[in-house]
Amino acid sequence: MIKFFRKIRQNLLSEGKTGKYFKYAVGEIVLVVIGILIALQINNWNEQGKVDGEILKTLNEIRSNLISDSLSIRDTRILKSEDINIQYTVIHELESRNIPYDSIEYHLGRVMIARRIVLVDNGYQLMKRFGLEQLKNQELRNELINYYTNFTKRINNDTADDDYEFITVYLPYVRNHFLDYNWSKQGVPADYEHLKCDQYFLTSLKTNIKNQESTLEQLQNGTRKIQEILPMLDETILAYE
């Protein structure tokens, strides 16, 4: 192709057609520039295609993580709700000083316990390293940031508070006043009559249950936020496919 253009230029010069030669030279330069721009654009398209492919993989990872979180939160909410109901039952039994001995030991194994939960953010951390600004859907980007920086933090903080209270309040009491204890299964008091009259234990249960309910609320909020994010995420994934 270069030889072809060069031959045309030589013919124009040899025929003394200088004006046409310069016009042709300018046209040739324009064609070369256009060719370079097209090549650059194709390269940009290829690079953007690679970027979009990585974003798609990351979004699918985030989707998998959110579904995992949703299932973990659901299971924890079920157990947490049961724990709270049992704790209210124990409070009522202690206040009425009417302890049902056939169930109290199981119930005492379920009060004030922390339900630890593992929330997964591998996909979000990958997207952060990749660059959150690469995600074109700004609404989805903001919702993901909100979920992973606010909602999961509240769940983890409330769960940590439950765990702290279980370790620092309930376990010391168990060691001093129980004959046996099996987490979430059984608690055997050394003296049932003392337990009926122990205002410290009753107050501890009443205070703790507010923390437990706060944790349950944060779990419910997390579920709602995931339900809001997933449709947006699915729509965005389809756009990248």
Side-chain angles (χ1 to χ4, degrees):
M1 184 64 72
I2 294 176
K3 289 182 179 180
F4 174 75
F5 287 136
R6 184 183 297 133
K7 186 175 181 181
I8 294 175
R9 290 198 307 271
Q10 288 173 348
N11 289 338
L12 289 172
L13 284 174
S14 63
E15 293 173 3
K17 298 178 180 179
T18 308
K20 288 186 176 180
Y21 171 83
F22 283 114
K23 290 178 182 179
Y24 180 81
V26 171
E28 187 178 336
I29 291 170
V30 170
L31 286 175
V32 171
V33 170
I34 291 173
I36 292 172
L37 291 176
I38 291 174
L40 288 173
Q41 185 61 49
I42 291 173
N43 183 65
N44 288 339
W45 285 339
N46 290 336
E47 290 300 317
Q48 188 59 49
K50 293 178 182 178
V51 170
D52 289 346
E54 291 299 319
I55 291 175
L56 179 60
K57 286 168 58 179
T58 304
L59 290 176
N60 278 310
E61 179 74 14
I62 291 173
R63 187 180 189 280
S64 176
N65 294 163
L66 288 174
I67 291 173
S68 175
D69 283 0
S70 180
L71 294 174
S72 296
I73 290 173
R74 180 201 64 187
D75 293 344
T76 304
R77 282 176 60 196
I78 292 172
L79 292 171
K80 178 66 71 177
S81 295
E82 291 175 357
D83 294 339
I84 290 172
N85 289 335
I86 287 172
Q87 193 155 323
Y88 269 119
T89 298
V90 172
I91 289 171
H92 173 72
E93 291 167 351
L94 292 177
E95 286 180 331
S96 65
R97 298 191 179 183
N98 182 23
I99 296 179
Y101 297 102
D102 60 334
S103 60
I104 188 64
E105 292 181 1
Y106 170 69
H107 286 171
L108 290 174
R110 292 283 298 266
V111 300
M112 291 186 68
I113 62 177
R115 296 288 178 180
R116 295 173 183 173
I117 183 171
V118 177
L119 302 175
V120 186
D121 65 350
N122 296 342
Y124 179 70
Q125 294 303 327
L126 182 61
M127 180 62 80
K128 283 176 64 177
R129 290 195 295 271
F130 192 63
L132 286 169
E133 69 279 359
Q134 297 285 352
L135 187 56
K136 298 171 186 176
N137 188 328
Q138 185 173 351
E139 183 182 5
L140 175 60
R141 183 169 64 223
N142 292 338
E143 289 295 338
L144 289 174
I145 292 172
N146 190 20
Y147 173 74
Y148 283 106
T149 59
N150 295 320
F151 282 79
T152 59
K153 182 179 179 181
R154 292 175 192 140
I155 291 172
N156 289 327
N157 285 346
D158 273 26
T159 301
D161 288 344
D162 293 343
D163 201 31
Y164 177 80
E165 197 159 7
F166 174 74
I167 292 171
T168 61
V169 177
Y170 193 58
L171 277 186
Y173 187 89
V174 166
R175 292 188 181 104
N176 288 315
H177 298 91
F178 279 41
L179 295 176
D180 191 18
Y181 179 77
N182 189 355
W183 187 87
S184 82
K185 292 181 173 62
Q186 184 185 46
V188 183
D191 187 342
Y192 284 99
E193 294 306 314
H194 172 77
L195 191 68
K196 290 179 183 179
C197 304
D198 193 336
Q199 189 61 43
Y200 170 80
F201 184 65
L202 179 60
T203 302
S204 296
L205 292 179
K206 288 181 176 180
T207 304
N208 171 261
I209 206 165
K210 301 304 178 184
N211 293 337
Q212 301 279 353
E213 288 174 335
S214 174
T215 304
L216 183 61
E217 181 182 359
Q218 296 307 327
L219 291 169
Q220 292 167 338
N221 291 341
T223 296
R224 283 193 291 269
K225 181 53 64 177
I226 291 173
Q227 290 172 345
E228 291 173 7
I229 292 173
L230 282 176
M232 280 189 289
L233 186 56
D234 288 341
E235 183 179 342
T236 303
I237 287 173
L238 284 175
Y240 276 99
E241 288 180 340

